[in-house]
Every structure is written in C-alpha cells, then in structure tokens.
Amino acid sequence: MRYAAHRLAQAVPVFFATTFVIYAMVFVLPGDPILALAGDKPVPDQVLDVMRERYHLNDPLLVQYGRYMLGLLHGDLGETFTGQPVSELLQDRWGVTAQLAATAWIFELAVGIALGVVAGLRRGGVADTAVLAGTTFVIAAPVFVVGYTAQIVFGLNLGLFPTAGTDEGWPGSYLLPGMVLGSFGLAYVARLTRTALVENLRSDYVRTATAKGMRRRRVVGVHALRNSLIPVVTFLGVDFGNLMAGAVVTEGIFNLPGIGQQVFQSIQLQEGPVVVGVTTVLVMIFIAANLAVDLLYGLLDPRIRRARA
Amino acid sequence: MLARDAWREMRGRVVFWLSAVVLAVAVAMAAVPGVFAAMGPNEGCDLRMSKKGPASGAVFGYDLQGCDYWSQIVHGTRASIMIGIAVTVAALAIAVVLGLLGGYYGGLLDALISRVTDVFFGIPFVLGATVVLVAFPDHGIWAMTSVLVLLGWTTMTRLMRGQVIAVRNMDFVEAARMLGASDRRIMFRHILPNAIAPVFVVAMLNVGNVIAGEATLDYLGVGLQYPDVSWGLQLNVAQTFFAEYPHLLVFPALFLTAAVLSFLTLGDVVRDALDPRLR
C-alpha cells in the first residue's frame, strides 16, 4: 500500500509537468489562429479583441493552462476556434483508435508470446532462428513500409482484407491495420519472452521441478513461463499508450477516421485546443498504464515492492 | 581486456561482418556520394522520364521529377546517417552527464532529474515531434536533430542512472574515495568505465531507431523538405503512386530498412559479446 501511494505521488507532478510542456509547445505555434480562421479576409480589430478575450488568448500562459486543467476536471476539453467542443469532435474518433489499438495489442500479446515460447523452447533450432531473423527485420522496417507492403500484398493482390476505411466494422476492417500497428511490439514481445524463457529454463527451480518428476508441460507452463512473463507484462502495459499515440501513421495508411488523423490535421491547421486535448488524454492513458504496470510488477515480484518502497 | 574478449567473440560471427559491411557502404555513401552516384542531388532530371521504372542507364528507374532514382537514393543516405549518429551522440552525452549526476549524488538532485526524465518520456513521439516541428518553420537537418534529441534522451538516461547506482557502492569506488579522489574523478575515471557498456549497446540500437523515426517524420511531411533529399521524403512521394509504380516505394524502403537493420544487428552482436550470460 505504501508502495502504491508512493508511485501515485510521483505520477501526479509528472502528469502536470508533461501536459504543461505540451500546452506550452502548442502555445508557441506561430501565426494567429483567429486570423487563420478568417482566411484571406481582413478581420476588424474589434472582432479580434472579442475573440481573443473569449478564448483567453491574452492571459499569461500559466493562467491559461490552469483554467484548462480546471475545465478538464469537469470533463471539459475546451472548444475549437469554430466553437465546437473538442470532446464532441473526438467522440466518434476515440472508438476507432481504441479498436485499432486493442486489435494490435491482442495480436502482440497472443502471437508474440506464442512465438517467443516456440523459439525459447528450442533455442538454436530452425524455429528460433526464424523468429529471431523475422523479428529483427520487423523492428528494422519502419511502420509505413510494413503498412504499405501489407496493403499491397494482402489487401490489393490477395484480396484477403479491405484496404481502407472502416466499412466492415470490427474486426474485419481492423485486422490488417491492427497487425501492422502491432508488428513492432509483437517483435519485442516475442524476443523478450524468448530471452526470459531461455534464462529461466536454466535456473535451479526449473531443474528441481523436473527432478521431482513433474511433467514438462507443467514445468514450462506454470513455473518457467510465469516468471518469464514479468518483463513482457511491463512492455505490454507501456505499449498500450504507445499504440494509441502511434496510430497516426497506421490510420493514415488505411484511412481510418481515428484521433491520430484528427490530431495530425489539427496540428497543421493550428487548432491548438484539439492538439492539447488529445495529447493530454493520451498522456493520461500513458501515465495510467505505466502506473498500473508498476503496481502489477510489485504484485508479481515481491522483491521489487520491498526494494522500491 | 573486456574489449579484447568482445572483439574475439564478434569477429567469428557472420552477422557482425554483414552489418559492418552494409554500414561501411552507407557511411561511404553519406561521406562521398559523388563516388556512387552519377548525378548530383536533384540534378540532370528530365520530367519526360517521370516515374519510369528500371531501365538500362537507370537501374532503379526515375523518380517523380524524372531524376535518376539511384543517384537520388544515394544522396538520401547522408541525411539519415548524419541525423542518426548526431542525435545519438548528443543524447548519449546528456544521458552520461545526467545519469552520473543523478545516480552518484542521489537525493533531491536525483529526484529532480528522474522526474524531468519521466516528463519527457511521457510525450508521445510522433505527436510531440510534429507539434515542435510545425512550430518552427525551418525543418532543416539541425531542427530535425534537435527535436529528435529533445524527445530521445530519456531511455539512455534512465539506464545510465541505474548502472551508476549499481556501481557507486562497489569496493573500488570506496577505495578511490578513501584515497582522496574528487567526486569528478570518481565519476569519470572509476564509475563511468564500469557503467557505460549497456548504455553504449542501447546507443547503437538507438541510431537505428532514430533513422527510422526521422524517416517517419519526413514521410508525414513535417520533417525535411524539398530540395533536401532523404529516404523519408522519397517514401512520402511514393505513397501516392506506389500501386502503379512500386519501384518508387521499394528502393528507398530497401535502403532504409538495410541501414536500420544493420545498426540494430550490430548493437545485438555487441551486446551478446559484452554479456556472455545470454549465449
């Protein structure tokens, strides 16, 4: 319990500092958003003043940030310069990104651990070499290269998956993008599982279990694998935040109307409120995931709990 | 001693030589592109040849502007290699200094450094980089380098700090302190050499990751801009035409993947050589 409180106390200032850094970065975006809104037409000074006043653009940065955080407490993410609430704008889009990230995450978890176990059990074998080579390649190839290749091969040439959009709903439309998005994490999960399993299979407690006459399936499945999954759990937890934030590229390739696409457009249109709103929520997810992992880690391995508290 | 053992271990492995050769070629292309390329960057282009596939005289075909694609890709090497190495060296320097200070002194300083690291660790890479790059109109190599350093120093710093903490209470450090060595001498002469190895391995892996990250930003259109030449920019152009003209996508992707793959493999080999437990 003390450990949990300690970690929570650390996470709170980090949350505020991170969101403030993002807020400040967006704030220094050059150009006047009110002028940009009007396009080529001249804007009367009076209108400019009223709009600036309405969106509190004249206040010091810290005051603006404070006001924003207060609004966030009530679930208010602010509104765009055209008067639309940011939360409304993002409502439908969160679902798309969450479905995409969840698909990728499940893919990473299931296939990644399976590949890692297969490779780790027969170290140096054909399967092991194939998994090592394959994962290195996937880690090295940038996600958009993987994405386009998958789109051409599986979508266009083989016709196995739809190439763009969300018409087929979940899971049909999300399978291929999910696999592309999750491919990087999958490679990490497989490698982490493999390395940990290889190390644990050589440990004393595994030898003891085998010596007692326990079946191989139980030795590997219950004893070795459970300990091997500790670093994997850490990675999977942290990676969920990464998947949500990293969806920008994948959503672009497969034309999925998620938050990544929205925020990318908003950055280029200088829609500061949308950028800050989305990034703040992403940071919250990221920090919460980190925190959850830290606590889970403490549960899985009592040594860590005692050492850190 | 450790270095000599590691070298003996590495030179027997095929993957080491494969990645070393690829990297040597890539560095040579970055340093003296004129030796490999027939044309200068954006030079000798003929719009009538736009997007034509591989043919005699142009093994890789032509790009959108009708430039010789092989020459353009060779010239693209410099941006990737330079940014990859410059970002990693800068991030490594930050990591060493902050990790040593935080890990060695502990207390308030350590808490402060750790929390600042947490803050920057929590900023999503693509979004954070896009926000900064859009804010600064100049997207040259230096702007890219700064942004990638700003968002990329945290992992190594955390690792360095952990390493320093593991080493700082060892007997030889105590001995040096008894003999009256200054803090600075203890940190740089005694702790650093014994703590740096895993950080160095991560730095080598990091070069590959930075190159991939830079290409991603170029690809999204917020990184380097024409008339700069880079693999990411070529892939950005290719995304519109790849269905009919796959060579536009395939060749820069091949170079990019080979470069990143080589840095990652080299890092893996060095780690295996330095840490024999995993063999």
Side-chain angles (χ1 to χ4, degrees), chain A residues 144 148 151 249 252-253, chain B residues 218-221 232-243 245 248-249:
Chain A
F144 51 92
Y148 281 123
Q151 200 178 29
V249 178
I253 295 172
Chain B
D218 285 359
Y219 159 81
L220 286 172
L233 275 176
Q234 285 155 4
L235 290 164
N236 173 288
V237 173
Q239 63 176 314
T240 323
F241 308 104
F242 72 92
Y245 306 98
L248 288 179
L249 179 74

Side-chain angles (χ1 to χ4, degrees), chain A residues 136-146, chain B residues 22-23 26 29 60 73-74 76-77 79-81 83-84 207-219 230-236 248-264:
Chain A
T136 315
F137 191 76
V138 168
I139 292 174
V143 66
F144 51 92
V145 173
V146 177
Chain B
V22 172
L23 288 185
M29 278 183 180
F60 280 12
I73 292 175
V74 167
T77 316
S80 287
I81 300 289
I83 290 179
V207 180
N209 295 334
V210 169
I211 291 177
E214 191 272 330
T216 306
L217 295 176
D218 285 359
Y219 159 81
S230 85
W231 296 333
L233 275 176
Q234 285 155 4
L235 290 164
N236 173 288
L248 288 179
L249 179 74
V250 171
F251 292 123
L254 213 62
F255 270 60
L256 179 59
T257 309
V260 177
L261 190 62
S262 303
F263 276 109
L264 295 185

Side-chain angles (χ1 to χ4, degrees), chain A residues 9-87:
Chain A
Q10 278 180 341
V12 170
V14 168
F15 168 74
F16 284 113
T18 311
T19 46
F20 181 72
V21 167
I22 292 162
Y23 198 90
M25 284 197 312
V26 174
F27 185 79
V28 299
L29 281 175
D32 190 316
I34 307 293
L35 283 179
L37 198 65
D40 295 334
K41 298 195 188 104
V43 181
D45 281 348
Q46 269 174 319
V47 175
L48 217 56
D49 287 341
V50 170
M51 290 292 269
R52 286 223 175 94
E53 197 57 45
R54 181 165 161 208
Y55 291 105
H56 312 295
L57 294 178
N58 293 326
D59 292 344
L61 182 58
L62 212 58
V63 174
Q64 287 191 41
Y65 172 75
R67 186 174 280 127
Y68 188 78
M69 280 293 132
L70 277 178
L72 196 66
L73 276 179
H74 306 112
D76 175 16
L77 287 171
E79 55 181 49
T80 65
F81 292 121
T82 49
Q84 195 185 4
V86 172
S87 47

Side-chain angles (χ1 to χ4, degrees), chain A residues 106-117 185-187 189-191 193:
Chain A
I106 294 168
F107 175 65
E108 268 180 41
L109 181 128
V111 184
I113 292 179
L115 285 178
V117 171
L186 168 105
V189 169
R191 291 184 140 232
T193 311

Side-chain angles (χ1 to χ4, degrees), chain A residues 155-212:
Chain A
L156 278 178
N157 293 353
L158 297 176
L160 293 176
F161 300 97
T163 48
T166 52
D167 293 344
E168 288 192 17
W170 197 86
S173 291
Y174 291 94
L175 276 178
L176 192 60
M179 284 194 264
V180 167
L181 179 60
S183 61
F184 190 81
L186 168 105
Y188 263 95
V189 169
R191 291 184 140 232
L192 278 174
T193 311
R194 175 193 173 272
T195 311
L197 191 61
V198 165
E199 249 179 76
N200 280 320
L201 281 177
R202 265 189 277 173
S203 63
D204 290 339
Y205 69 86
V206 166
R207 197 187 315 133
T208 310
T210 314
K212 283 197 303 184

Side-chain angles (χ1 to χ4, degrees), chain B residues 23-251:
Chain B
L23 288 185
V25 173
V27 169
M29 278 183 180
V32 280
V35 175
F36 297 88
M39 298 289 175
N42 302 322
E43 187 189 279
C45 308
D46 180 355
L47 266 178
R48 280 170 303 179
M49 304 304 284
S50 173
K51 296 176 290 194
K52 288 245 168 72
S56 65
V59 275
F60 280 12
Y62 298 87
D63 71 4
L64 184 64
Q65 308 291 333
C67 315
D68 176 32
Y69 212 21
W70 160 255
S71 300
Q72 290 295 102
I73 292 175
V74 167
H75 287 292
T77 316
R78 181 174 284 176
S80 287
I81 300 289
M82 259 185 64
I83 290 179
I85 292 176
V87 168
T88 304
V89 168
L92 185 64
I94 294 175
V96 164
V97 171
L98 291 186
L100 274 175
L101 288 176
Y104 183 74
Y105 289 110
L108 195 64
L109 184 66
D110 182 35
L112 193 68
I113 291 175
S114 296
R115 292 296 83 76
V116 173
T117 315
D118 286 350
V119 168
F120 280 90
F121 190 77
I123 299 177
F125 169 72
V126 175
L127 292 185
T130 307
V131 167
V132 179
L133 283 169
V134 172
F136 296 100
D138 155 47
H139 298 210
I141 279 194
W142 291 113
M144 291 294 283
T145 307
S146 320
V147 168
L148 288 160
V149 171
L150 185 73
L151 295 171
W153 55 275
T154 51
T155 314
M156 282 192 272
T157 304
R158 284 180 165 186
L159 185 62
M160 186 69 203
R161 171 180 172 273
Q163 285 293 117
V164 172
I165 288 175
V167 173
R168 78 171 167 203
N169 292 325
M170 286 191 172
D171 289 343
F172 65 89
V173 176
E174 279 306 315
R177 194 173 292 130
M178 298 292 182
L179 288 170
S182 66
D183 280 354
R184 206 171 68 185
R185 189 178 164 83
I186 293 177
M187 277 194 271
F188 283 97
R189 291 299 295 273
H190 297 276
I191 294 181
L192 184 61
N194 289 292
I196 194 80
V199 187
F200 188 71
V201 169
V202 170
M204 296 191 76
L205 300 173
N206 191 57
V207 180
N209 295 334
V210 169
I211 291 177
E214 191 272 330
T216 306
L217 295 176
D218 285 359
Y219 159 81
L220 286 172
V222 292
L224 297 173
Q225 308 286 328
Y226 183 86
D228 284 329
V229 180
S230 85
W231 296 333
L233 275 176
Q234 285 155 4
L235 290 164
N236 173 288
V237 173
Q239 63 176 314
T240 323
F241 308 104
F242 72 92
E244 291 128 290
Y245 306 98
H247 74 280
L248 288 179
L249 179 74
V250 171
F251 292 123

